[in-house]
Amino acid sequence: MPGKCKFKNSWMVHEQYKDWILKDSVDVYFARCSVCLKSFKIDNMGQSALDSHAKSTGHQSFTKNRSLGEHLPFVLWIVTIRRFSVVLYF
C-alpha cells in the first residue's frame, strides 16, 4: 500500500499553482488555498487534489472575481486556527 502524500514545496513555484497554493501551517497532509482561504486534504490524491481544487466552483468563482478587479474589502488580519479562518475586515 502506498504511503500518504505530503505537501511538496515545488508546487509553490509550479506555474499552475504558484499564485494560490500555500503549505498548510498545521498539517503536511493538507494544502492551503490563498484565494479561497481554505485548506484541503492532499494525503490520498496528492497533486491531483490541487487540480481538483483548482477546478472547483468556489475556486473558479473567487479566481474570476479577483481577475475582474472585484476584491474583498481591505483585509486587516487573518487568523487561522486548526484550518478554520477568521477574516477581520477594515
Side-chain angles (χ1 to χ4, degrees):
M1 182 167 102
K4 288 184 171 183
C5 298
K6 294 181 182 179
F7 185 88
K8 294 182 175 150
N9 290 328
S10 62
W11 293 338
M12 293 191 296
V13 293
H14 190 283
E15 190 63 34
Q16 188 175 350
Y17 313 121
K18 69 179 184 177
D19 293 334
W20 57 270
I21 197 68
L22 299 170
K23 190 173 190 174
D24 186 83
S25 62
V26 178
D27 194 331
V28 296
Y29 301 110
F30 279 76
R32 180 131 183 102
C33 177
S34 65
V35 175
C36 302
L37 299 177
K38 86 182 248 187
S39 293
F40 54 94
K41 285 179 130 184
I42 56 170
D43 62 343
N44 290 321
M45 295 175 56
Q47 189 170 351
S48 295
L50 276 63
D51 295 332
S52 178
H53 176 78
K55 293 175 186 172
S56 70
T57 305
H59 184 83
Q60 291 289 318
S61 177
F62 279 119
T63 304
K64 179 182 173 190
N65 291 341
R66 190 164 106 175
S67 68
L68 293 174
E70 296 175 19
H71 300 286
L72 293 173
F74 181 78
V75 176
L76 180 63
W77 197 260
I78 301 173
V79 179
T80 304
I81 301 171
R82 297 184 186 215
R83 289 189 282 297
F84 294 101
S85 296
V86 175
V87 182
L88 304 174
Y89 299 103
F90 184 82

